[in-house]
Amino acid sequence: MVDEALSAGAVARRLGVAVTTLRTWHQRYGLGPSEHIPGHHRRYTPTDLARLEIMRRLTAEGVSPAEAARWARQAPDPMPTETVAPGRIHRPGRDGGGTIPVGRAGPAARGLARAAVRLDAAVISETIAHALAAGGVVATWEGLLRPVLAGIGERHAATAGLIEVEHLVSRCVSEALAAASRAKVPTGPARILLSCADEEQHTLPLEALAAALAEAGVSYRTLGARVPVAALLEAVNRTGPAAVVLWSHTRATADPGQLSALLAAPRRPLLVLAAGPGWRADTLPAGVVRPIDLAEAVSLAVAVRDSLDQSRRD
């Protein structure tokens, strides 16, 4: 990170965006230059640049500009450069990764974030398990896990660090969600098929949905990460699910052609859900539903199950 203040043109070149984009982010979201010298244009400080980098990376991954700006504004100031005497090695403190912002999430999320920075797997797992037992999957995902995971992503975008933290937390979350799914195995045919889009590797939100469906008593199958369209269609035609959830985390994996292929399948599902921030609402084929969050995805799956049960009774 540079120490000098920069002009709008210099910042635009560093970020690979247009100067007009910087102006928009300043006017709409308050992410503007903060250094003001009388008689001169305002300049961007290192802190301003770090927050704009978060904004750029999150929007590139499909996060809405307003949400990306919220995370960017909450980012802590970059750590100051320290002078180290020759022959000595600077060793960071016990929380060497810095703090993880969790927005307006409660004390449990802040505690989980601190445990994550310490790489304290035992506390991470215990915190998640307690939250699942007390509040269920949806509340745990929305109020605890998603804010912490997003905060880790934000800190990584700003510092290129915390990779080890992200890996450890992801493993703990995955194990906890799998345990929650096993604790309440639904009976009956699997009516919901869960799949990541082709080349999509972010599976945790899909694992959260699986655990939430199990908690709601809805049977499902999950295919996991990076499912090619041909394999997805083969699974649909062989199992005839009532609903298919296709998860995309980034624009790069959100090819609407995958959804169109599902709608044209010989055993077309009653409901096709395009889940995740990768999908753009204006590119979805007619007939595809884009749930706004985990709770809505669960509600739609339950509605499909109940509708099928009712039709069989009739």
Side-chain angles (χ1 to χ4, degrees):
M1 181 70 66
V2 294
D3 292 328
E4 72 274 11
L6 300 172
S7 67
V11 170
R13 288 191 295 273
R14 285 177 180 270
L15 298 179
V17 301
V19 173
T20 53
T21 299
L22 292 181
R23 293 197 191 104
T24 298
W25 289 351
H26 181 192
Q27 294 166 0
R28 294 185 180 180
Y29 309 115
L31 296 175
S34 59
E35 181 177 290
H36 182 216
I37 300 175
H40 296 79
H41 290 294
R42 288 184 178 271
R43 311 281 282 187
Y44 289 85
T45 67
T47 297
D48 299 330
L49 184 59
R51 290 172 178 162
L52 287 170
E53 176 67 16
I54 294 170
M55 181 74 175
R56 183 191 65 79
R57 293 194 186 191
L58 291 179
T59 54
E61 291 182 1
V63 178
S64 71
E67 180 71 6
R70 185 175 72 84
W71 283 108
R73 287 193 300 268
Q74 293 169 351
D77 292 345
M79 297 180 67
T81 302
E82 297 187 20
T83 301
V84 182
R88 301 190 60 183
I89 299 174
H90 171 67
R91 300 185 184 278
R94 294 181 62 186
D95 67 342
T99 58
I100 296 173
V102 295
R104 297 181 180 179
R110 293 194 291 273
L112 181 59
R114 289 192 294 270
V117 171
R118 297 195 307 270
L119 298 178
D120 192 335
V123 172
I124 294 170
S125 297
E126 180 182 353
T127 302
I128 298 171
H130 176 76
L132 288 169
V137 175
V138 173
T140 298
W141 178 257
E142 297 294 350
L144 178 68
L145 300 179
R146 194 162 69 91
V148 173
L149 290 168
I152 293 171
E154 175 190 324
R155 285 292 294 168
H156 174 70
T159 67
L162 297 190
I163 294 175
E164 72 288 352
V165 173
E166 190 273 334
H167 283 197
L168 177 64
V169 172
S170 294
R171 180 178 63 79
C172 292
V173 171
S174 185
E175 290 175 351
L177 292 174
S181 298
R182 291 191 298 269
K184 298 183 179 180
V185 179
T187 58
R191 293 169 177 164
I192 313 297
L193 182 64
L194 310 179
S195 174
C196 282
D198 193 6
E199 297 301 326
E200 178 57 66
Q201 300 187 66
H202 292 78
T203 63
L204 285 183
L206 209 60
E207 294 171 42
L209 177 55
L213 291 176
E215 188 175 66
V218 179
S219 297
Y220 64 89
R221 287 185 180 89
T222 182
L223 301 181
R226 301 181 67 179
V227 180
V229 177
L232 176 60
L233 294 178
E234 178 64 21
V236 168
N237 291 330
R238 287 170 60 185
T239 63
V244 174
V245 180
L246 193 60
W247 171 265
S248 171
H249 187 72
T250 66
R251 297 280 172 83
T253 62
D255 179 3
Q258 300 170 89
L259 302 169
S260 298
L262 284 171
L263 296 175
R267 300 183 71 179
R268 171 178 171 166
L270 295 176
L271 181 65
V272 174
L273 299 180
W279 303 108
R280 287 176 45 191
D282 59 351
T283 67
L284 300 182
V288 173
V289 178
R290 186 171 182 258
I292 61 172
D293 54 20
L294 179 60
E296 184 175 28
V298 174
S299 296
L300 290 167
V302 170
V304 169
R305 188 231 13 220
D306 292 347
S307 176
L308 286 176
D309 289 346
Q310 183 61 46
S311 64
R312 287 189 173 90
R313 286 194 294 269
D314 294 342

